[in-house]
Amino acid sequence: MTEEMKESAQAETVKAEKVGKKRWPVVVGVIVAVLVVAGIGGFAWHNTPSFCGTVCHSSMSEHVDNYYGTDSTNGAGLAHWHGANEGTTCLDCHKADINTQVAELGSQISGDTDKLGLADRYYVDNDTCLSCHGDSYEALAEQTADLEPYNPHDSPHGQLNCNECHKGHAQQVDTCGQCHPNGGQTMRGTN
């Protein structure tokens, strides 16, 4: 091999190394961009009922059907009403903290999904409801002061759990009306 050919081969090797060094940041950048876009899309999907009903909670299909109003009750409960009228999704009321997700995963793996019942057994705490409805029980009572003949949110029996009357995935229950005449009041989400 001549000296000129050796120099040409070395120059090609150096050039190839430079091109290779320039390519790997581009390849890494493309991979990172794809992962970021997929992560954002996955996070957005994570907050939808279709995610809850297919990926993690196939046992929750009845509740997802209720949310969409395609169940046998035609969406009785506040999940359907809030979704249809307010754009509320599962994670707006059912917080996805790590302890809850680990417990739910354990229930899914063991097949003991009865503990995941959301209709009349699963209670969302009052703070979750009040974060959108007045920030406090007292403020909610003020907002509903015009309800006649009585204001169920200003009860002489104290503060009830919102879920005692307002069911997320089941027919609403007029708890006060079981003992007191309610003057024809009805609740949203009542079919």
Side-chain angles (χ1 to χ4, degrees), residues 114-155:
D114 285 343
K115 294 179 182 175
L116 298 176
L118 297 177
D120 59 355
R121 297 179 305 210
Y122 187 87
Y123 288 97
V124 173
D125 66 3
N126 280 2
D127 290 341
T128 300
C129 298
L130 292 171
S131 69
C132 294
H133 298 284
D135 291 325
S136 72
Y137 210 85
E138 294 76 20
L140 178 61
E142 286 179 30
Q143 288 177 2
T144 57
D146 62 340
L147 293 176
E148 296 293 335
Y150 70 95
N151 182 355
H153 302 117
D154 189 18
S155 171

